[in-house]
Structures are given as structure tokens and as C-alpha cells.
């Protein structure tokens, strides 16, 4: 009786997943084996692995890596300082709030800030450096992406640091470890789960960014995300677009699997 | 300053958001002894420990270690190690790695580390547990790992912050013996913090009783139990009957409406005092033969003895520990020796108190 009513409650969820997750993935998979003429073909896949797409994939990964790295380098110290402030929840909120604003709006704001007549160039002008081309460069692409993703990196790291038992830090100091040794041997290893979660949350979406590449990088940077968008909307080659999409989904699954908390035992120990 | 002094507090004051946690505390700790800081929560005992460990700096006053001022010396540069209340074992390291942590920081040779860790684990009866995860250890075993992690560094002082409070009664008693024995084998100074007076009495060479950021009394367990300086100490250490009284003359004190012979002297004539009699010093007799006449109010069986609560005609409560049973509602008599009466003056400083008591023993009236 009880299990049956529980299954009843599952219906909306199952329906949702079937309609909006499983069906689209299946469709995309189906399209990836379909040529422009509508027949079954493997050419999309052979094309993907032999042509410039491979180069594209590499550069996608490279940019996603850079974005994740810079986001981490900025977020970890920030989270560390946040946990030590008096009103940490308030400070955290201030960092999280921008993520509630539509990403498109924020990206447009950067168009103004980095533009030829924007404040950044005005500043460079008064400093005597002169107007620079900032928009439509790798730099602006990585900069804006990092800005967009920082809250997603800070939140899991902050939570991990906040949960860390402060006596462990005392114990490490007590046993003769300097601040740096304490960080390396106690604080970082015990918050690695937060770092991992943050990297997942940043790296995977970074792979398929297309809006920022379009608007900020002006297609100077082409990632897999841009490629999918172009195939579906511009060249109308749904088969090729689907192939890239399937590849991305597969890569994400692999990354999730590799970075996931496979050691269940370790999770338990953290509650000690 | 004594040659044997290892730690000295000189008028150390510590504040926490305007609240005074320690108020001009001064004391000396000697090498190789077992000290206990005893007091209720919020009395400042843990603050003293944290000041010695170096997790805090005092607001005023000086802390000396081996004669050197260490007020601002960071924790990792101090020759002390702490056993924390929650043990604070590193959950990402196994038993061996936990114990080896301090030695690795000191960059000892691998073979030295292995042999020292093995020795330390042997000391706390945890041989063969090297590769265990901390999550697989019981509370008592974790406690031992924490102790091993501290002693392996061969510190001059080990600080223990209520390390037994998380254990059950049986294990706690066992660990009391073990800790005491360990301290004697190692011969290093232990400073033990607890709110459990039985623990303090059982283990210590010397006890500091703290309340409200002030050391109320310091001395051996027997000194403190037999001769508490004031109402707080008498009440906190063991059970006591405390009655308001008046010193009629030397060797004569009045309380509960009568005069009694006692061993105290040197007080003002007619000075108001408080009188302490321990429940085990009271003996039940026939009503007519008793020095005090009381009515039995309630009785509890405690196993070792009966705890009998009596009330006299002035509504003073008298707690009696007796192996004999009494009847509730019965009128009985209580007797006691003159030595059982301990007289406490109001607001007497520890110095004056010690002087007064020393005076008694010189004339052969030790109590």
C-alpha cells in the first residue's frame, strides 16, 4: 500500500524526466546518425573526429579549463575570508545575489563596460595607455565567464569550509604546523569535496557556453557550444549539431563519473 | 621563582566582548606534576588552557614558559601539546598518520617516525591499529589516539581539555587510572581541565578551583576537600552541609542554636562565619544522645551508603551519608567530632586562609 502511494507521487517526476530529459537525449542521439538527406549515416561522427572539430574540442576544453582555474583561484581565498568574517551569511548573500540576475543582462552590461567608449577604456586613456580593443578578445571572454561562474564556485567551497571543525585547525597548529602547512595538510584536503563540486559546476557549463562567446568574444573564440548553435540555427545541419551535443553529453557524464564521490566511506568520515 | 617552575601566570586578564573571563590570575605550574583546573562551565578554565596552548593572547598580564615570556608566541612554536575535548583527530588521515602528524611537520626521518609512532601507540595500548581509519575507532580508542598524538612529540607539558567527558562512566573511571599512570610513567606535566570534581580529586597532585575567572583555592585534593576556603569550594567539591554560625571564642562556635567545641581559633570574637560539616562525618544516634536533633525528611539508597536528608528546628538541611537506614519522618540525633567542624570566614584571601590553618598545625590542632 505504502509503496504504491509512493510510486504515485513519483509520476509527475517520471513524466518530467521522460519528456524533457530522456526524450530529447534520444532525439539528439537519433539526429546524430541522420544525414542531411534524412537517411542513416555515420558520416557525422567520422566528420567530427577527423576535421577541425577536433581542434575545436581541444580549444573548448582549454577555455573551460582556464575559466575553472581562474574561478577557483579567486573563489577559494574569497570563501576562506568569508568564513572568518562576522556576518558571513550576509557577505555570502552579497556574492550570490548577482547570480539571480539574468546572465544576458550581465553580459550586455560588460559590452558597455569593455566597449571602445566604456569606462575601462576611459580609465586606460587617462592613465596614458590609450584605448585598447578589449571586447572580442580571449581575455574578455575568460574574464566575463569567470565573473559569471564565481558564485557557483564560491558556494560549495564556502559550505565545505564552514563545516570544517575549527578545532582541527587548532590541533594542527598545536602539533607544530605553520599556517601554510595547516592549510596544505588539513584545511585543503578536508575541503577538497567542495572544490570538486565547484569545479564540476563551472567546468561542465563552460564547455557549452555560446552566448558569451557570441556577444563578448564576437565569435573570435569558438567553443563546442557555439558550434552547436551555429549548426542548428545557421547552417541547419541538425545531424552535425546533434553529434557535437551527444559528444558533449558523453564527456560530461565521464567527468561527473571521474570526479564524483565514489568513496562512500570518506563521506562518512567527514561527520566525525 | 622556583627552579622547578615551568609555567607561570602573572596577573593574567582576559576579556571576551566586555566580559571578563580571567581576572588577574596568577599561579605557577611545576615540572612533572598532575594539575587540574576545576570549575563550572564559564569559570575560565578552558581559557587558561587556550592561553597556555597559544590559541589566544591575554589582554593583560604575562605568561612565562621556562622563564621566558610567551604572550605572543604562536601555538606551533610552543613546547606543549593538547588533547582536545572532541579529540580533533584528522578524519582524512588514519591512526598512524594522525600520530605521525607532528613528527612529519618536524621533518624527522621516516624510520624515526615509524618507530616513535609505534612506541607511542604501544604506550596507549593501541598496537596493531596503525592502518585503521578514525571513523572505525570507538570513543575510548579515539581518546587514546589523541593522547598518543600528543605524547609522541615529547612535549614538556600536555594539556587535556575535558578529554573524558564524552566517555561513559565505566570507561571514564578506567581512563582516570590510565591517565594518572601514564603521567607518572612519562614524568611530564599534565594540565587537566574538568568540571567533574571526582575526576579532579582522584587524579591530581594539585587542583586549582576556579569560579568567575578567579582561582578560588589551590592545593592538594585532600587540602581542598577537607579545608575548603569558602562556600563555593565547599559546595562544588563533594557534598557539604553549610550552616551560618558565629565564632563565640577560640575553639567555640555556635550554629543551629547551640554552641559546639571546634578546633578553629584566631578569629574575632562574635565574628559571623560559615560552618561546613561533610555528610560522611555525621553519625546517626538516638535523639537524646545527638549533638543535633533533626527530623528525617527523605532518604535515597546510593549503593555504597544511604543519603539521608534531615531538617533541624531552624530549617537547616543536614545531609547524612550512613550505611544504616533511617525511617522517614523519624526524629533522630546527629553527632560529630570537633575536628569535623570546618569554619570558613567571609571574604578571606587564600593567603590569610593558609596562614590561619598553618597556625593550627603548629599547636598540634591539625584538622
Amino acid at each position: 500500500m505504502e509503496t504504491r502511494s509512493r510510486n504515485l507521487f513519483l509520476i509527475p517526476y517520471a513524466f518530467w524526466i521522460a519528456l524533457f530529459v530522456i526524450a530529447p537525449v534520444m532525439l539528439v542521439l537519433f539526429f546524430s546518425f541522420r544525414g542531411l538527406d534524412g537517411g542513416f549515416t555515420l558520416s557525422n561522427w567520422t566528420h567530427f573526429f577527423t576535421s577541425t572539430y577536433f581542434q575545436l574540442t581541444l580549444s573548448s576544453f582549454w577555455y573551460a579549463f582556464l575559466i575553472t582555474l581562474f574561478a577557483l583561484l579567486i573563489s577559494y581565498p574569497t570563501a576562506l575570508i568569508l568564513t572568518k568574517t562576522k556576518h558571513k551569511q550576509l557577505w555570502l548573500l552579497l556574492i550570490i545575489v548577482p547570480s539571480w540576475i539574468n546572465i544576458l543582462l550581465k553580459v550586455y552590461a560588460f559590452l558597455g563596460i569593455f566597449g571602445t567608449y566604456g569606462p575601462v577604456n576611459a580609465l586606460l586613456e587617462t592613465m596614458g595607455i590609450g584605448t585598447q580593443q578589449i571586447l572580442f578578445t580571449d581575455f574578455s571572454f575568460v574574464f566575463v565567464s569567470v565573473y559569471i561562474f564565481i558564485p557557483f564556485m564560491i558556494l560549495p567551497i564556502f559550505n565545505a569550509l564552514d563545516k570544517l571543525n575549527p578545532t582541527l585547525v587548532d590541533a594542527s597548529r598545536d602539533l607544530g604546523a605553520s599556517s601554510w602547512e595547516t592549510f596544505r595538510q588539513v584545511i585543503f584536503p578536508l575541503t577538497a569535496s567542495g572544490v570538486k563540486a565547484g569545479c564540476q559546476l563551472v567546468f561542465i557549463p563552460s564547455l557549452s557556453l555560446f552566448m558569451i562567446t557570441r556577444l563578448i568574444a564576437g565569435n573570435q573564440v569558438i567553443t563546442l557550444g557555439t558550434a552547436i548553435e551555429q549548426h542548428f540555427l545557421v547552417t541547419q545541419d541538425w545531424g552535425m549539431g546533434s553529434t557535437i551535443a551527444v559528444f558533449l553529453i558523453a564527456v560530461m557524464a565521464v567527468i561527473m563519473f571521474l570526479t564524483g564521490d565514489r568513496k562512500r566511506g570518506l563521506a562518512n568520515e567527514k561527520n566525525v | 621563582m622556583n627552579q622547578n617552575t615551568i609555567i607561570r601566570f602573572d596577573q593574567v586578564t582576559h576579556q571576551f566582548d566586555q566580559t571578563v573571563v580571567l581576572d588577574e590570575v596568577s599561579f605557577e605550574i611545576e615540572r612533572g606534576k598532575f594539575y587540574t583546573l576545576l570549575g563550572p562551565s564559564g569559570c575560565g578554565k578552558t581559557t587558561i588552557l587556550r592561553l597556555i596552548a597559544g590559541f589566544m593572547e591575554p589582554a593583560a598580564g604575562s605568561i612565562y614558559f621556562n622563564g621566558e615570556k610567551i604572550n605572543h608566541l604562536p601555538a606551533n612554536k610552543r613546547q606543549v601539546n593538547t588533547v582536545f575535548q572532541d579529540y580533533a583527530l584528522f578524519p582524512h588521515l588514519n591512526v598512524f598518520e594522525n600520530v605521525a602528524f607532528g613528527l612529519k611537520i618536524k621533518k624527522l626521518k621516516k624510520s624515526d617516525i615509524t618507530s616513535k609512532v609505534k612506541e607511542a601507540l604501544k604506550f596507549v595500548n593501541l598496537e596493531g591499529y596503525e592502518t585503521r581509519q578514525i571513523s572505525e575507532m570507538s570513543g575510548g580508542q579515539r581518546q587514546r589516539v589523541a593522547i598518543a598524538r600528543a605524547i609522541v612529540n615529547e612535549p614538556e607539558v600536555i594539556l587535556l581539555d575535558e578529554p573524558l567527558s564524552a566517555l561513559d562512566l565505566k570507561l571514564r573511571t578506567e581512563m582516570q587510572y590510565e591517565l594518572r599512570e601514564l603521567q607518572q610513567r612519562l614524568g611530564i606535566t599534565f594540565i587537566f581541565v574538568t568540571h567533574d570534581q571526582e575526576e579532579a580529586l582522584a587524579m591530581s597532585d594539585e587542583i586549582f578551583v576556579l569560579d568567575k575567572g578567579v582561582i578560588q583555592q589551590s592545593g592538594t585534593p585532600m587540602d581542598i576537600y577537607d579545608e575548603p576556603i569558602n562556600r563555593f569550594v565547599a559546595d562544588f567539591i563533594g557534598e557539604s552541609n553549610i550552616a551560618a554560625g558565629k565564632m563565640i571564642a577560640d575553639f567555640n562556635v555556635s550554629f543551629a542554636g547551640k554552641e559546639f567545641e571546634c578546633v578553629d581559633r584566631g578569629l574575632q570574637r562574635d565574628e559571623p562565619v560559615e560552618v561546613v560539616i561533610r555528610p560522611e562525618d555525621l553519625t546517626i544516634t538516638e535523639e537524646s544522645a545527638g549533638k543535633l536533633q533533626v527530623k528525617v525528611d527523605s532518604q535515597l539508597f546510593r549503593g555504597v551508603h544511604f543519603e539521608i536528608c534531615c531538617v533541624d528546628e531552624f530549617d537547616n538541611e543536614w545531609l547524612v551519608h550512613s550505611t544504616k537506614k533511617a525511617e522517614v519522618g523519624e526524629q533522630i540525633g546527629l553527632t560529630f567530632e570537633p575536628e569535623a567542624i570546618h569554619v570558613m570566614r567571609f571574604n578571606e584571601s587564600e593567603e590569610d586562609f593558609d596562614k590561619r590553618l598553618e597556625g593550627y598545625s603548629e599547636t598540634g590542632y591539625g584538622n
Side-chain angles (χ1 to χ4, degrees), chain B residues 182-193:
Chain B
L182 190 70
Q183 188 268 332
Q184 279 163 347
R185 267 196 291 164
L186 290 168
I188 49 183
T189 315
F190 273 41
I191 304 178
F192 186 89
V193 159

Side-chain angles (χ1 to χ4, degrees), chain A residues 17-35:
Chain A
I17 291 289
L19 205 63
F20 295 107
V21 178
I22 296 174
V25 169
M26 286 302 152
L27 267 178
V28 169
L29 194 64
F30 170 70
F31 275 117
S32 75
F33 290 107
R34 222 172 137 211

Side-chain angles (χ1 to χ4, degrees), chain A residues 17 32 36 55 85 107-108 112 127 164 171 183 189 202-203 252 254:
Chain A
I17 291 289
S32 75
L36 279 171
Q55 193 94 46
T85 53
V107 170
Y108 269 114
M127 279 163 63
L164 183 76
F183 175 77
V202 174
F203 188 81
M252 288 172 191
V254 168

Side-chain angles (χ1 to χ4, degrees), chain A residues 86 165 167-179 181-182 185-187 189-190 265-266 268-270 272, chain B residues 50 53 55 74-76 80-82 84 86 88-92 98 101-102 105 107 133-135 142 149-150 153:
Chain A
K86 221 172 179 180
N165 177 359
T167 343
L168 292 177
V169 176
D170 280 349
S172 166
R173 302 280 288 159
D174 188 71
L175 291 165
S178 63
S179 313
E181 284 165 329
T182 301
Q185 310 217 8
V186 179
I187 300 175
L190 286 174
L266 209 70
N268 292 335
E269 278 162 46
K270 287 194 179 110
V272 169
Chain B
R50 293 181 69 82
F55 304 138
N76 55 325
V80 292
N81 284 115
T82 310
F84 293 88
D86 58 358
L89 298 173
F90 303 120
H92 58 303
N98 260 286
F101 191 91
I105 294 288
K107 307 223 159 50
Q133 292 299 319
I134 299 304
S135 56
R142 282 179 202 184
R149 190 176 67 174
N153 301 294

